[in-house]
Amino acid sequence: MFQGIHRPPKGTALTIELLKPATVYFFFHHKVNGGYSEIFSNLKNWEKCPSAPQYDIYNGDHGLEMIMYKMVAEKGIHKIPPTTKNRACFSIVFQQNE
């Protein structure tokens, strides 16, 4: 699991290098997401998941509404475009494919 820095600035881009095939799960806050809602809705090979992990579950509804996308990826370099807004709360989970 990779947890992104808290509130990264606009223009934050990610490059992922997979040494083996993996399923990559990318999840982010439904409101404070740096534009990832729009970015991921336009990315090829990424599929929106029906549910997502939650956080801060005992502190009101702060982290209860998350959005998650997944990609079944081959080894190699994969890029996620730069954020279009400030404050992108996100995390990534990598699951090796057998």
Side-chain angles (χ1 to χ4, degrees):
M1 179 176 167
F2 172 81
Q3 181 177 350
I5 61 171
H6 193 64
R7 299 181 179 170
K10 177 181 175 180
T12 299
L14 299 169
T15 300
I16 298 167
E17 180 178 8
L18 297 176
L19 302 179
K20 296 182 178 186
T23 300
V24 181
Y25 296 90
F26 192 103
F27 51 102
F28 50 88
H29 194 271
H30 75 289
K31 288 184 181 177
V32 184
N33 62 40
Y36 282 135
S37 291
E38 295 82 20
I39 291 168
F40 273 87
S41 68
N42 294 309
L43 288 180
K44 290 182 179 180
N45 302 322
W46 288 89
E47 173 187 346
K48 189 173 183 181
C49 299
S51 62
Q54 299 173 329
Y55 73 98
D56 204 13
I57 60 174
Y58 299 114
N59 195 19
D61 63 356
H62 176 70
L64 299 182
E65 293 186 53
M66 301 291 284
I67 298 170
M68 182 166 66
Y69 280 80
K70 75 174 183 178
M71 172 179 65
V72 178
E74 296 298 323
K75 71 177 188 176
I77 304 289
H78 303 275
K79 296 183 182 268
I80 298 173
T83 52
T84 58
K85 302 173 188 169
N86 286 319
R87 301 181 64 197
C89 179
F90 72 93
S91 292
I92 309 169
V93 171
F94 304 90
Q95 181 181 30
Q96 182 177 330
N97 294 342
E98 309 251 343

